[in-house]
Amino acid sequence: MSATLQRLKITSTLLAAGLLAQTALAGVASAQDRKSLLEEHSGGTMILSAVSAAGTIDPQVNYTAEFWQIFQMTYDGLVKFKQASRSEGFEIVPDLAEAIPEPQDGGKTYVFKLRKGIKFADGSDVTTKDVVASFQRIFKIHGPTSGSFYNNIVGADKCLADAENCTLDGGIVADEDAGTISFHLMQPDSEFFDKLAVPHATILPAGTPATDAGTSFIPGTGAYMIESYDPNDKMVLKRNPHFEEWSVEAQPQGFPDEIVYRFGMKEESAINAIQNGQVDWMFDPPPADRLNELGTQYADQVHVNPLAAFWYAPMNTNLAPFDNVKVRQAVNFAIDRNALVNIYGGPVLAQPTCQILPPDFPGHVDSCLYSKDPGTSWSAPDMEKAKQLVEESGTAGQKVTVVAEDTATSRAVGTYLQSVLSELGYNATMQAISPNIQFTYIQNTDNKVQISVSQWFMDYPQASNFLNVLLSCASFTPGSDSSINIAGYCNKDLDKQMADAMQTAVTDPDAANEMWAKLDKAFMEQAPVAPLFTPKNVDFTSKRVGNFIFSNQFRWVIDQSWVQ
Amino acid sequence: MSDAAATRPITEASSDAASAPAKAGQSPWSRAWRILRRDKAAICAFVVMVLIVAACLAAPLYAGYLAKTDPFRSNLSGSITVGGESMKIMQASTTGLGLGTTPIAPTWEWQYMLGADNQGRDVAARLLYGGRNSLLIASAATLICLVLAAAIGTIAGFFGGWVDMILSRILEVLWAFPVYLLAISLSIVLLTQEIWIGPFHIGSGSLILPIVIIGIIYVPYIARPVRGRVLSLRESEFVLAARGLGIPRWRILVKDILPNVTTTLIVYIPIMMALNIVTESALSFLSIGVQPPDASWGTIIQDGQGLLYTRPMVALAPGVAIVLTVLALNVLGDSVRDAVDPRTKLR
């Protein structure tokens, strides 16, 4: 028996050693592959296109998907979302920090050790002083997430009150000799690393002015630097001469020598330019009437990938008729989500949904309360039940206005909702207003918006980024343009459960995700919103673009594709 | 006495007509009508207009009995039978990657004759309903514009002095704004909120808003020529004679001046109608005119903008309707001007 055990031990040890050797060899092989790929494909100019620029290139101010994608190549934080394919892109890896630190003091303290030898694009070394100054700058420039992402750092409340003299004293402590930076939080935060991994927590030189940089480039540590930027013309990115790859997962060396991002080309023109090989990629989604052509004639240049997002109709729970839960449920029952999928471009490009958390997202468990056959997925609308609920509510005949964005898809979705509401017996109209103002307009309670069309794309992969952000009492500020809880729904009990889930996530993320799944369902029972569909992302690239990698976090990893 | 004086200039003008000599005792209106009846272009334009208006008025009959559709309700999951074959109204791509959905193409049958838009609605039925709104807005806006312009132009020209100065400056300020910029500004302000004027309530999507907006923006275009005409009439012999006879100013205005301004206004009716149709379409295309679920030719063109590659008929059909209507109105306008004021033909 003992001899057999001994043999088993030896066998398993040999097996383990073999596996280890195989993994090591695979690592070496992959490094060699990458080196040879870099040798083979490096160089050339990649040309990108967008209808318009996305404003400032200050990474601590800009809050757009368009430029966050660019910042992946130009800037780094202490940690970063992995530059990898699909859901691997949700993984957080050490970047300027040597490793992801273990929590101390019950999750209230994290000590990062800074890598040595990393330089900014201006040639200066990255030091602990730069880290402290960068976090102070988030508050000094009134960064858009200073009050939501970074308000849990000790001293943040003082910085929010007096931004100019922000020190984050006691919140971020640098030890220059040891090369460490200690973060002290007021409360344990399960999403702390996510918040450090977005571009707002970029590390910049300590001397960076505490004003929005606008069109001027602030030196970063990424593989590329922005050589010039004119929002009315183009942005030119060149290789950062001081860059040396330290982590292929966080900031890999890129393939193209130069990346030119052109602004002002309409979608139709951009499609033609890509077809002719004059442009390599467009940021904006292809127009609906070109999709069939692209999917048929250019199938090998089209990349369809899921997005952690959803289109939804927030219903104002404080205004008639949607202050009645039966009406909100009726709308959810009445919507033919397949029809909306058709509007968006068909089943390949969107998926019907009747819950808030998107598929393959932390906390998501298939569930649909508002279907002909309620269960795990949506099958068909139940107009009979919807009409019965409206009758019970006694609200039929009331005037309802749907407010949509004046874009082709939002307008079409709004028109469809207006049609559904009319069928339910309401005197419904639709109003499409400029995309520049619609998002803030529907948030402000003074505008008395009853129901609207909106979309939400995650900042980082945590259930709270949907449920807590969109439906917590704290997200509802009456009379403000910045009240992201558009439905104005405030349920103290569910709020408490969300706080518990966030607390649980610090030590037990799986248990927390189970709690979020229940919360998702609990919110949908009250139906403050009508989820419509989860969209997919369509990228159309030129023939010469190779090695297309799509990260679920920041979409196409631009510099990991080559053009020659 | 003053009545006789009032009719004199028009009668005198009639005697100048080279193309159609006036018969003794014939009124200028019947003479104009006689000229119009002989004008083949005018008759063609008139027939086209009558056909367009009749077709638009028959929209509910067409939608209800022939197309058997509700043009204001989305029909994204429906299907119809064409040539004995059942067809989905919104057709998902089945080739390649299966990207995109395309509305049904023109069937050239009663149902979906011109195809469907991106909501699966019958384009032909919407075209007729849209025409009703476009024509209604254009007509009502023309009426408002003419009434306001006539009042302002006549008062400014007749009373002169500071009254003229104030009214002329207001017109100049209005004139100074680019028409579409002014219309867009007014629309954005007015369309996002309900308006209460005393006991009257105008909803945010009401058709009254584009009517009023379009009616106001073109007032200077007519008020200025009206003012000019009144200024010249004020110094004419028959008005001076009436003044000399001590006839009250209001009576001169109503009995002597206004009838002579009417010809100017009539000439402008078809021209303004055409201009207003184009303006309404432009505003609706920019989403600041007619609001859904109502349709107008402009909103249908906007719906078709996203389908230009696959279903160009959606944008083309209302475009053709606008061109035909505006062309007919312009031809009619020229003919009316020639008939009512034959001197212009000699210039």
Side-chain angles (χ1 to χ4, degrees), chain A residues 207-226:
Chain A
T208 306
T211 51
D212 180 358
T215 56
S216 306
F217 175 65
I218 305 171
T221 46
Y224 292 84
M225 50 185 267
I226 298 174

Side-chain angles (χ1 to χ4, degrees), chain A residues 289 292 336 342 345 406 411-412, chain B residues 77 93 100-101 119 287 302 309:
Chain A
D289 64 339
N292 187 31
D336 181 349
N342 274 339
D406 195 14
R411 201 181 156 83
Chain B
S77 305
S93 168
T101 46
Q119 291 285 322
S287 305
Q302 193 199 38
Y309 262 74

Side-chain angles (χ1 to χ4, degrees), chain B residues 153-174:
Chain B
T154 309
I155 291 169
F158 186 72
F159 290 101
W162 63 268
V163 176
D164 183 26
M165 193 194 71
I166 290 172
L167 290 175
S168 294
R169 293 303 84 76
I170 291 172
L171 289 177
E172 278 162 13
V173 168
L174 208 55

Side-chain angles (χ1 to χ4, degrees), chain B residues 88-153:
Chain B
K88 282 247 177 210
I89 289 165
M90 298 299 286
Q91 298 160 348
S93 168
T94 51
T95 52
L97 298 176
L99 301 182
T101 46
T102 312
I104 193 168
T107 62
W108 306 115
E109 294 182 7
W110 287 121
Q111 278 192 303
Y112 290 91
M113 180 184 285
L114 299 177
D117 65 7
N118 63 354
Q119 291 285 322
R121 298 171 298 198
D122 189 317
V123 173
R126 283 180 67 76
L127 185 71
L128 299 183
Y129 271 103
R132 285 158 70 109
N133 281 336
S134 289
L135 292 171
L136 173 70
I137 291 171
S139 315
T142 302
L143 188 67
I144 288 176
C145 188
L146 290 177
V147 169
L148 287 175
I152 293 171

